[in-house]
Amino acid sequence: MAEKTYKLKVFKYDPSVDEAPTYKTFEIPYTESNTGPLTALKALHIINNTIEPIGYDFNCRVGGCARCAIKFNGVPRLACWSALVEGQENTLEPLDNFTVIKDLLVDSRKGFAKFVQSDATVKSKAPIVIPKHIDPDLYWDEIVQADRCNECMNCYSVCTALNVNDRWENFIGPGALMQIYVKHIVGEDESDRLGQAVDCGVFQCVQCGKCSEVCSRRIPIAAHIKTMMDEATAAGLAPTADSNTYNWPLL
C-alpha cells in the first residue's frame, strides 16, 4: 500500500543569485496527529528544518501576528491557518505586488508605510480626562469588528486601485483606511477623519471587493470604504475635476 503524502509546490527565488523564479515540489509523509491538520506553516517548518533552507516569515503561529501571509493555492492567506489537503498538490507562493526578498518572504515596507500615514493616534486639543461614552451596539457591531486588522498585507497585494491603476503614490490603501474609518466612527478624535480619508485617496477605491475577500480577519473593508465615500459625498467633500486637494486638520 502506497504511503500517503502531502505534496507541496513551492515558489523558490533568491534574487541575489537566481536569474528567475522556479518552483520546487516537496513531499511530506502523511501522519495522524492530535495537534490539528498539517498547515502550510508546519510544512514549511519541516522543509526548512529537515530538507533544505527556505525563506519565509512567522512568529505567533496562531493568526495573530500575520507575518506568515503567503499565497496558498493562488489566494492570499495566512500560512498558519491554511490546512494542506492530502492527495493533491498545494501551491505556496509569495504575495503579489511586493518585491521578493527570498522565496516566500517579501519586502512589505511600502504597505506598512501606509499604516504610518494613517496617523491613528487620537488627536485632541486638550488631554482627554474622561473617555467619550460609546454606544455598546456601535462598539461591538462595528468598532471592534473594523479594528481587527492585523496588517497581514493580503488586501494590499490584491488591491486594484494600487496595483492595476498604479495609485501607490496617492492612495493610502484598504488596510490603512480601516484605521481612519475606526477613528471616524468612534468620534472621540477631534481631527477631521472623513476629510483625511478623502485626502488619502478614498475615492481612488474602485469597489472591486478583493480586499474583503482576502482579509484574514474577515473585515468587510470595501463596505466600510463605501460608507466613507458616501458620507464624504453627502458632506460635499467628493473631489471634482477642478477641486483642490482637501487639507484635513490633525490639530
Side-chain angles (χ1 to χ4, degrees):
M1 182 176 179
E3 181 183 41
K4 294 192 295 185
T5 61
Y6 289 105
K7 189 174 182 180
L8 292 92
K9 178 182 177 183
V10 182
F11 180 97
K12 295 284 290 180
Y13 180 51
D14 183 346
S16 67
V17 296
D18 298 331
E19 292 185 1
T22 58
Y23 287 86
K24 187 166 185 178
T25 299
F26 300 91
E27 289 194 9
I28 299 176
Y30 174 87
T31 58
E32 296 292 341
S33 172
N34 60 6
T35 60
L38 182 66
T39 64
L41 182 60
K42 291 178 183 178
L44 287 170
H45 291 337
I46 294 172
I47 294 171
N48 187 63
N49 294 333
T50 66
I51 302 176
E52 68 176 64
I54 188 167
Y56 65 105
D57 197 9
F58 75 100
N59 184 30
C60 74
R61 311 181 190 192
V62 293
C65 71
R67 286 172 56 176
C68 65
I70 60 171
K71 275 204 311 181
F72 179 72
N73 293 333
V75 180
R77 299 276 298 275
L78 298 186
C80 64
W81 282 0
S82 301
L84 300 184
V85 180
E86 186 272 324
Q88 74 176 46
E89 188 173 72
N90 301 266
T91 303
L92 279 57
E93 300 168 294
L95 292 179
D96 290 333
N97 299 306
F98 291 107
T99 301
V100 173
I101 296 175
K102 183 181 180 183
D103 303 332
L104 305 177
L105 185 62
V106 299
D107 183 354
S108 54
R109 286 178 295 178
K110 67 179 183 180
F112 284 116
K114 300 296 185 179
F115 284 88
V116 175
Q117 186 183 348
S118 72
D119 200 359
T121 55
V122 175
K123 305 300 177 181
S124 175
K125 294 178 181 177
I128 299 176
V129 179
I130 302 177
K132 175 185 176 180
H133 172 74
I134 300 175
D135 179 79
D137 289 338
L138 173 65
Y139 180 79
W140 291 111
D141 295 344
E142 291 217 37
I143 296 173
V144 170
Q145 175 228 52
D147 202 28
R148 297 176 67 235
C149 173
N150 57 5
E151 301 180 14
C152 65
M153 297 298 149
N154 286 354
C155 62
Y156 280 83
S157 73
V158 300
C159 176
T160 298
L162 290 172
N163 303 307
V164 177
N165 297 342
D166 193 21
R167 301 297 187 182
W168 278 96
E169 291 298 320
N170 55 8
F171 181 41
I172 200 172
L177 274 177
M178 288 305 94
Q179 293 188 335
I180 296 174
Y181 175 74
V182 169
K183 287 294 181 290
H184 170 59
I185 62 175
V186 168
E188 186 176 44
D189 196 305
E190 294 181 27
S191 63
D192 181 2
R193 291 296 182 172
L194 188 60
Q196 180 192 10
V198 175
D199 198 41
C200 288
V202 69
F203 283 97
Q204 298 289 348
C205 173
V206 299
Q207 287 290 292
C208 65
K210 293 180 180 178
C211 53
S212 302
E213 293 173 1
V214 303
C215 178
S216 63
R217 291 301 181 88
R218 301 296 186 266
I219 302 170
I221 302 173
H224 292 329
I225 292 176
K226 182 63 165 57
T227 294
M228 288 192 288
M229 294 168 71
D230 290 344
E231 291 185 18
T233 298
L237 300 179
T240 60
D242 58 351
S243 64
N244 294 320
T245 301
Y246 185 89
N247 295 311
W248 50 282
L250 271 186
L251 299 177

